[in-house]
Amino acid sequence: MSCEIIVKNGNGENYSNGNGKIKDDKPNFFNEMNSSPPRTSSPCFSYFGENFTFEIIEDIKKYLFERTKIRPKIGIICGTGLGHLAENLTNVDSFPYEDIPNFPISTVSGHAGKMVFGYLNNVEVMCMQGRFHYYEGYPLSKCSMPVRVMKICGCTHLIATNAAGGLNPSYKVGDIMIVKDHINIMGFAGNSPLQGPNDPRFGPRFPPMDRAYDPHIVKIAKEVAKEMNMGNEIQTGVYTCVGGPNYETVAELKMLKLFGVDAVGMSTVHEVITARHCDMKVFAFSLITNMCYTDYDDNEEANHDEVVNIGLKRQDRITEFVTKVVTEINLDLNKKH
Ligand SMILES: O=P(O)(O)O[C@H]1O[C@H](CO)[C@@H](O)[C@H]1O
């Protein structure tokens, strides 16, 4: 059975994949789910929001590569208050998001909104100084679209960092939690960055998510932590992403704790799913910026200024940690070639 995609392009015009007749201007949910993706380099819209086609991602790469000579294998996403990392790059070429064609803009404090290419300890990297969140009004596919840009730019590895609330009572503010796994709560509710037509040039329709966080890089990171004497400040745990922007209720936190969640935030999971879909190796960690209390008698409340401030306080340590992990990943990459 041939299926037809009818979506609107950026100018509001009908767009069809040419597999049949246009019957009306409303996209058909089931047709879209079963069809090949639209091949276009102008943004088009579907039930799942803007469709960032392979061609659009290639155009973004073209824009960047015409302006930088850096050819990174490692992409880094800086979490809230962690953008300092990008300030440690040398020989930088920096692109404000508003200048990059088809890029969203960062609207959250603690996220500068720049794509920075440069060297971290002589290793070529590209670094998002600021990420996109669902609560900013962007669909998950748009939030994680830059991960595909990293992939098409040649990155084989993604390092995702975030600020998160600590649920595990043995954690303390300032700890770094290496993410060993995640629980995709937004996915339980039927929301995924991979919703909509699948383009096999990015990855398969049904990607596996076992070992989403590369066990070998986790091992490398633990060795780095040991070398840095991080003994009582490094943890390993399970992260979850809630939609935000409100922080969680006590009852929600109790539930997450029962689920086995160690740290809770509002990002990363959809980026990791997108990265694994296109076969990138992933390493992620959370900076524990506040503790999540599951007792109604506790008066502590999370607030974003505190989250940003803890990031600033821990920036030097985190920069050192990431630099060493990047250096080790690069040594590994060179061994393989
Ligand atoms: O996950 P990152 O972007 O580090 O930021 C975390 O901190 C913000 C809340 O204070 C939310 O955006 C949450 O996701």
Side-chain angles (χ1 to χ4, degrees):
M1 194 184 85
S2 77
C3 299
E4 182 180 17
I5 299 173
I6 306 166
V7 286
K8 299 239 183 230
N9 69 13
N11 304 323
E13 296 153 353
N14 284 341
Y15 173 88
S16 160
N17 70 346
N19 283 343
K21 279 187 183 162
I22 296 178
K23 294 196 185 75
D24 59 41
D25 65 355
K26 294 228 170 59
N28 177 306
F29 179 87
F30 294 104
N31 280 350
E32 282 196 31
M33 289 293 283
N34 294 323
S35 301
S36 47
R39 307 285 162 112
T40 171
S41 62
S42 37
C44 49
F45 294 84
S46 74
Y47 275 115
F48 308 104
E50 263 163 285
N51 192 348
F52 291 96
T53 59
F54 197 84
E55 287 74 15
I56 291 177
I57 304 293
E58 280 193 320
D59 281 355
I60 296 174
K61 170 195 164 178
K62 190 163 173 269
Y63 173 89
L64 296 168
F65 273 22
E66 278 170 3
R67 290 161 179 81
T68 181
K69 292 200 161 45
I70 311 267
R71 297 291 178 262
K73 291 262 180 298
I74 302 174
I76 304 172
I77 302 177
C78 299
T80 295
L82 304 176
H84 177 73
L85 186 62
E87 276 145 34
N88 280 273
L89 304 188
T90 51
N91 294 74
V92 298
D93 290 312
S94 181
F95 305 96
Y97 292 155
E98 59 264 32
D99 291 352
I100 307 175
N102 291 311
F103 235 68
I105 49 160
S106 279
T107 65
V108 186
S109 74
H111 292 265
K114 283 187 257 177
M115 184 70 87
V116 187
F117 286 72
Y119 291 82
L120 193 58
N121 194 22
N122 294 320
V123 181
E124 289 172 296
V125 298
M126 64 191 285
C127 190
M128 285 181 74
Q129 206 179 18
R131 62 151 54 87
F132 309 109
H133 305 85
Y134 190 66
Y135 61 77
E136 291 175 79
Y138 300 128
L140 291 182
S141 55
K142 190 166 183 172
C143 293
S144 40
M145 172 274 279
V147 172
R148 288 184 168 169
V149 174
M150 288 174 167
K151 168 74 182 187
I152 300 301
C153 283
C155 292
T156 52
H157 288 67
L158 172 70
I159 299 181
T161 73
N162 62 60
L167 253 180
N168 186 318
S170 71
Y171 292 3
K172 55 191 184 313
V173 169
D175 281 356
I176 292 170
M177 185 193 84
I178 295 172
V179 180
K180 69 171 181 206
D181 208 349
H182 69 227
I183 296 182
N184 181 13
I185 293 196
M186 295 174 79
F188 291 176
N191 198 354
S192 163
L194 305 181
Q195 263 168 351
N198 183 61
D199 189 331
R201 289 175 293 178
F202 289 122
R205 172 77 288 186
F206 301 107
M209 280 299 141
D210 335 61
R211 291 175 296 283
Y213 299 83
D214 191 83
H216 180 61
I217 309 179
V218 166
K219 191 162 163 255
I220 287 177
K222 285 183 175 171
E223 279 159 16
V224 165
K226 204 164 163 195
E227 181 197 315
M228 286 174 63
N229 289 321
M230 292 172 84
N232 60 355
E233 46 178 312
I234 196 90
Q235 312 284 356
T236 307
V238 173
Y239 174 89
T240 200
C241 166
V242 293
N246 58 287
Y247 296 105
E248 305 71 41
T249 65
V250 170
E252 286 162 353
L253 291 171
K254 278 173 187 268
M255 185 198 77
L256 294 176
K257 209 169 166 184
L258 272 176
F259 278 12
V261 171
D262 297 296
V264 53
M266 305 170 193
S267 68
T268 306
V269 168
H270 36 279
E271 298 158 353
V272 171
I273 290 171
T274 304
R276 292 301 300 139
H277 178 245
C278 62
D279 203 26
M280 293 172 82
K281 290 191 188 306
V282 172
F283 173 65
F285 68 85
S286 302
L287 173 67
I288 305 300
T289 51
N290 55 286
M291 288 307 291
C292 296
Y293 294 99
T294 50
D295 186 339
Y296 284 101
D297 292 334
D298 235 302
N299 287 324
E300 298 285 335
E301 282 184 335
N303 82 76
H304 187 68
D305 289 344
E306 180 192 336
V307 169
V308 175
N309 280 333
I310 299 295
L312 293 176
K313 276 195 189 142
R314 296 287 285 154
Q315 59 188 13
D316 290 342
R317 195 74 166 148
I318 282 175
T319 300
E320 190 185 348
F321 179 63
V322 176
T323 306
K324 285 185 191 297
V325 171
V326 162
T327 306
E328 292 299 323
I329 292 174
N330 188 54
L331 282 175
D332 243 32
L333 276 169
N334 290 339
K335 265 189 234 154
K336 282 175 190 144
H337 289 117

